[in-house]
Amino acid sequence: MAEKAQRSFLKRAAAASVAGGVALSLAPVSGAVAQSGGKDTLIVGTSGLSNIPHLNPLDSGWLLQGEINNLMYTPMIRWSQEDFSPAPGIAQEWESSEDGLTWTYRLNPDATWSDGEPITAEDAKFTYDLLRENPVLNSRHGDLVNNFTDVRAEDDHTLVIEIDEPSAMMNHLKGVSIMIMPEHVWGELDDPATYAGDPDQPTSGPFRLNEYREGERITLTANEDYWEGPVDYDEFVLQDYQTPEAMVQALQAGEVDLVGGLNPQQYEALESREGITTSTGPGRRMQSLTFNAGARTQGGEEFGDGHPALTDPAVRRAIAHAVDKERIVEVATGGFALPGVSYVPPIFGDLSWEPTGDDLIAADVEAGNRLLDEAGYDERDSAGLRVDPESGRPLEFRLFYHSDRPSYAIIQDFLVDWVAELDIRLDAIAMDTTPLNEEQEAGNFDIAFGTWNAGPEPSETLAYHTCARLPEDAEPTDLTFAFYCNEEYDALFEQQTAETDLDTRAGLLRDMQQLLYQDAPAIVLYYENQLEAYNSERWSGFETQPAAEGMIREQQGAFGYRSATPADGSGGEAAGSGSDSGSALPWVIGGVVLVAVAGGGFALMQRRKTADDRE
């Protein structure tokens, strides 16, 4: 490891530890917090509520919107707590015809809205028809519903959907990404796309909305008659904080009961705090470096100002050889992460591909230098930098990183020194997140840091590397990660969308990941652990997803929140916290997945930011 990078890290880590230590030492764990009416209230500390424009459950693009949706609504089909496989929700069971074009869903006859009305197949038909017909809602969910040719309620508890092309999405209906709405209420709305969230509207989940203070807090009231069984407390509050440090102090002061998204220093400091329990498990959030593999339109028109040498997989692969991912995990995350490989994290089992033997791009600068020499980058300029034989330009690349992420500042120090051993210069440039994303979407970058939360369908993420994601016009786009286009990769993508056998499809998905790894349009650095802590003097019972060594927050459901119990029956003494996210997680079912649908619905849907979008 380069000494300069090591010294830089030690300096930053020392500063962070001192700051974190002061914050932690000043905030003792307090006793009971003021309650309203003696209610059991679970308060979750979070940040980012100011980004939430509304609480429309059918037009949710932010992680926090998904958390609230999971508490207020039950999906037709869940992602299971055990392993993210499809599991019953409102639909008890489902089956397809032999040709995979007709799907029948049988709804739970005990399912009711919070106002006592039954949840029926007509409600489901109304919702799916709405997603097909409303332009705004269709832009979010067209990847599923634009494949529907007919939706009908055969009786109160039987829904039949006919589709144009076989699709594995029918085996999960996008899980928690789509919630069924009550026709007897939503049918009266002038424009459901403008619904922003009204208190006490009928819901199908364990809570209903009580108060929404934009940018401040969201308060939910427990549904005592929830058809799957009520929770053991009265209220849930999602409370916004400006910084993670403020959330940690609030936890110790007894103002919240659970926080997530901790950094390693905060997590380790809280481990020794009496009355606070820490929790960690493998996560689905990945950190990566993305290359500009050649910004261009589908017709081949080039745009942006990316360095032409980065269109060559040999250059990208050589840089990958210079990156010591294990060292990054050790230093930048304190060991609370796994070295990265591809866009399907190992938390999803057989769907994730792992390199072996000659496939492995090991941290080996000598191998990187040999690769560059063999590819024709063997000439140097007067500064000792390799020269691109095609353009005559030295291999000097801009490295954009987010100025508000200390871990990126640490990592870029390492990268600059490591890549210099290839006789390549990286010019690290700190940028705010919004302008960084704008420059990347316009193709005005060479290499950029990024983070991504994997979705419930692997193809929803892997689609970002297909040729179809290149823009039609030379304009900015967030439909692609790297402007990558490979016909072999596209062929595999199309194969897996038409494959009905689970094992065969999983193999095709692994083949796609292997090809991405070898072509290296991006380098996945690591998969973050979820670092959480809660007040165990006042709350217990938080269950995780996956059930074994999983996470409380950022779940594919409300398992963590539904299982929370006031400790010792203390009731109103709990201020409370717990967080369950509605983001998506990759799992493959035994059908095919349709991603490119008629009328370009999927591309239009992805134009809008999703709950699992890059940051």
Side-chain angles (χ1 to χ4, degrees):
M1 184 185 68
E3 291 183 5
K4 174 187 171 186
Q6 173 71 14
R7 286 196 303 271
S8 180
F9 161 71
L10 291 174
K11 220 186 226 181
R12 289 192 177 94
S17 296
V18 169
V22 171
L24 291 170
S25 65
L26 290 176
V29 177
S30 73
V33 177
Q35 304 295 307
S36 60
K39 294 179 179 179
D40 296 336
T41 302
L42 180 62
I43 302 178
V44 178
T46 191
S47 61
L49 278 185
S50 59
N51 295 323
I52 307 302
H54 55 70
L55 290 181
N56 188 321
L58 296 182
D59 188 24
S60 295
W62 292 89
L63 212 61
L64 294 177
Q65 286 174 309
E67 286 192 80
I68 297 303
N69 289 346
N70 282 324
L71 287 167
M72 292 200 296
Y73 300 97
T74 302
M76 282 283 282
I77 299 172
R78 286 190 174 97
W79 299 107
S80 77
Q81 182 179 2
E82 186 66 28
D83 60 3
F84 308 106
S85 57
I90 292 175
Q92 286 183 309
E93 57 185 13
W94 54 98
E95 61 188 7
S96 70
S97 59
E98 188 172 346
D99 62 7
L101 298 180
T102 301
W103 288 75
T104 302
Y105 302 87
R106 295 181 178 84
L107 279 59
N108 190 324
D110 296 327
T112 59
W113 298 106
S114 57
D115 63 0
E117 292 292 318
I119 300 174
T120 70
E122 287 291 348
D123 291 314
K125 170 180 166 53
F126 165 79
T127 302
Y128 292 125
D129 284 345
L130 183 62
L131 299 181
R132 296 169 72 190
E133 297 163 2
N134 186 287
V136 172
L137 303 181
N138 184 266
S139 72
R140 180 76 66 186
H141 302 293
D143 57 331
L144 174 72
V145 301
N146 287 357
N147 190 38
F148 293 1
T149 58
D150 185 52
V151 181
R152 61 183 181 273
E154 295 203 336
D155 56 48
D156 283 350
H157 302 111
T158 306
L159 180 76
V160 176
I161 302 176
E162 295 185 5
I163 56 179
D164 186 47
E165 298 287 344
S167 167
M169 285 188 182
M170 301 304 294
N171 215 342
H172 55 68
L173 294 173
K174 294 187 69 173
V176 298
S177 295
I178 295 179
M179 301 298 187
I180 300 304
M181 294 297 108
E183 182 182 17
H184 65 285
V185 174
W186 275 60
E188 301 299 318
L189 299 178
D190 292 334
D191 182 5
T194 64
Y195 174 83
D198 296 328
D200 294 322
Q201 288 292 311
T203 62
S204 58
F207 290 87
R208 64 183 186 276
L209 180 63
N210 179 40
E211 182 183 35
Y212 172 34
R213 293 186 191 174
E214 188 173 350
E216 297 180 21
R217 65 160 48 193
I218 297 172
T219 303
L220 308 180
T221 301
N223 177 9
E224 296 179 356
D225 299 318
Y226 178 45
W227 56 281
E228 289 192 306
V231 297
D232 290 334
Y233 53 100
D234 303 301
E235 286 184 333
F236 173 92
V237 173
L238 194 63
Q239 179 68 50
D240 191 71
Y241 288 88
Q242 293 300 309
T243 66
E245 291 76 15
M247 281 193 295
V248 170
Q249 290 180 345
L251 174 66
Q252 295 178 102
E255 297 168 3
V256 300
D257 299 305
L258 183 146
V259 298
L262 301 172
N263 65 39
Q265 290 80 20
Q266 292 167 335
Y267 182 84
E268 290 175 345
L270 289 171
E271 280 185 305
S272 61
R273 299 288 296 180
E274 185 177 352
I276 290 179
T277 295
T278 54
S279 175
T280 184
R284 59 189 180 79
R285 182 187 293 268
M286 62 195 80
Q287 305 294 341
S288 63
L289 292 175
T290 299
F291 295 103
N292 185 340
R296 61 203 181 282
T297 66
Q298 292 190 25
E301 179 186 352
E302 297 179 358
F303 63 96
D305 63 5
H307 197 296
L310 290 174
T311 64
D312 186 350
V315 176
R316 305 192 299 259
R317 190 179 173 94
I319 293 174
H321 271 298
V323 179
D324 188 341
K325 298 177 182 179
E326 292 187 359
R327 188 61 177 149
I328 288 175
V329 166
E330 175 190 355
V331 176
T333 77
F336 290 107
L338 291 174
V341 177
S342 186
Y343 279 87
V344 180
I347 191 174
F348 305 117
D350 289 344
L351 301 184
S352 180
W353 175 79
E354 285 290 332
T356 58
D358 293 339
D359 286 327
L360 178 64
I361 302 177
D364 185 346
V365 173
E366 290 185 5
N369 277 309
R370 286 196 302 271
L371 183 59
L372 289 169
D373 288 341
E374 293 168 1
Y377 299 88
D378 52 352
E379 298 293 332
R380 270 72 168 178
D381 68 4
S382 59
L385 298 179
R386 291 180 183 271
V387 175
D388 176 15
E390 295 294 326
S391 67
R393 293 173 56 181
L395 299 193
E396 181 174 6
F397 308 129
R398 295 160 297 171
L399 174 63
F400 291 170
Y401 68 97
H402 302 71
S403 56
D404 59 346
R405 302 199 177 177
S407 61
Y408 286 180
I410 294 169
I411 295 168
Q412 65 86 16
D413 279 335
F414 285 114
L415 294 174
V416 168
D417 285 358
W418 289 338
V419 174
E421 297 181 42
L422 299 173
D423 294 335
I424 296 174
R425 178 181 294 150
L426 296 183
D427 297 320
I429 302 170
M431 301 177 67
D432 289 341
T433 295
T434 297
L436 191 156
N437 286 344
E438 289 174 348
E439 291 296 284
Q440 187 172 352
E441 291 166 6
N444 295 326
F445 77 105
D446 296 323
I447 309 172
F449 277 80
T451 184
W452 179 260
N453 291 305
E457 258 297 329
S459 59
E460 290 183 358
T461 298
L462 297 175
Y464 278 80
H465 291 292
T466 58
C467 299
R469 290 306 191 87
L470 296 178
E472 292 185 3
D473 301 312
E475 297 176 351
T477 177
D478 62 0
L479 295 179
T480 177
F481 288 154
F483 299 96
Y484 175 77
C485 176
N486 182 310
E487 292 183 0
E488 181 183 356
Y489 179 86
D490 279 14
L492 288 169
F493 188 87
E494 293 302 320
Q495 275 186 269
Q496 62 87 22
T497 65
E499 181 52 64
T500 58
D501 179 76
L502 172 63
D503 293 334
T504 303
R505 181 173 184 243
L508 292 168
L509 289 165
R510 290 193 296 271
D511 289 344
M512 292 171 64
Q513 295 171 69
Q514 180 180 11
L515 184 55
L516 281 181
Y517 182 79
Q518 293 169 341
D519 270 5
I523 301 173
V524 178
L525 298 174
Y526 57 87
Y527 312 106
E528 290 183 357
N529 282 17
Q530 175 69 282
L531 303 180
E532 307 162 312
Y534 62 90
N535 188 322
S536 49
E537 289 186 344
R538 294 203 300 245
W539 291 91
S540 63
F542 293 107
E543 295 181 2
T544 63
Q545 186 190 38
E549 300 181 349
M551 64 196 82
I552 299 171
R553 297 199 64 180
E554 300 191 5
Q555 293 185 356
Q556 271 294 293
F559 308 108
Y561 293 154
R562 284 194 61 196
S563 59
T565 304
D568 301 324
S570 59
E573 295 185 359
S577 159
S579 184
D580 162 31
S581 159
S583 354
L585 296 158
W587 198 85
V588 165
I589 64 282
V592 296
V593 172
L594 182 70
V595 175
V597 294
F602 182 68
L604 180 59
M605 181 279 293
Q606 289 294 350
R607 175 180 58 77
R608 301 170 60 84
K609 295 292 184 182
T610 68
D612 299 302
D613 214 342
R614 58 187 161 199
E615 300 175 16

